[in-house]
Amino acid sequence: MALTVVHDPSPTEFLEHAGPLLYRDEPTNSLMLGLCGNILRAKESPKVPPVFIRVLKDGCTVTAAVQTPPMNLVITFAKTDELELLAKHLREVHAEFPGVVGPAVESEAFSTIWSKLSGKTKMLGMGQRIYKIEKVIIPKTIGRLRLAQIEDGDLIAQWLVEFGDESLPPPERKSFEERRPHAIRAIENQLAYVWLVDEMPVSMAHVGRPTQNGISVSAVYTPKNLRKRGFASAVVAHLSQKMLDSGKKFCVLYTDLSNPTSNKIYQNVGYQEVADSKHFLFEDRNV
């Protein structure tokens, strides 16, 4: 029962073969599925072609990985020998990626294998938990949900900077100048939302990476001086309900396991645990 590696030329072909495997656990694989969907919907082709890899056993797809350079490698459930073959193949083709994201056990195993093969040091960037929601508990909080508008662009960009500084590992933090184009795109694509109190934005959340049945909620942020008033709970709950009302069967979000407050907030509005995920970073040993 030999294992082989296949590169698919497009997200369409990749999803044709890997989709049935990934959709067995759509919430856990929402990142990989959502990235493929984003590439399919993009108006322009990426400057550097994305990588779509499948590991086959007797001709059947048993695991898969996706990378959109220069971002992290995203993996799914896999056995040790499948991860070893994947890592060896990536090494042979001189693949470059700053880190790996995937189910906790697989991500840790792959990072160990890759560290030995590449000579790089692995570092845990974040321990995460994946949650999903199918029925929302709406909290009683003053204010209302609104789509972010172009005039909110600078504010959204600044909040993305602050969100990154608080929640992302240092290599993934970005400046205002780097965040602003992302903020504008999110607004133009109607993916960014704010919670208003007295018609002033006090909190935000984004949606994105839609899959067949779900969509991800991310970038939940409230400035420090406005916290402990229920605004994060409100924006997440109302935005999740809006997505369910639009036809999605569930919403997914990732939390930082080191932040018990955010984990409690999401559970209080109806999010339920799905799986743990780990994000490892790779650094040169002489750094």
Side-chain angles (χ1 to χ4, degrees), residues 86-96 114 117-119:
L86 173 64
K88 289 178 182 177
H89 173 78
L90 290 168
R91 186 65 179 163
E92 289 171 0
V93 299
H94 307 291
E96 293 286 343
W114 184 251
L117 285 176
S118 65

Side-chain angles (χ1 to χ4, degrees), residues 91-109:
R91 186 65 179 163
E92 289 171 0
V93 299
H94 307 291
E96 293 286 343
F97 42 89
V100 62
V101 178
V105 172
E106 285 76 4
S107 183
E108 183 146 15

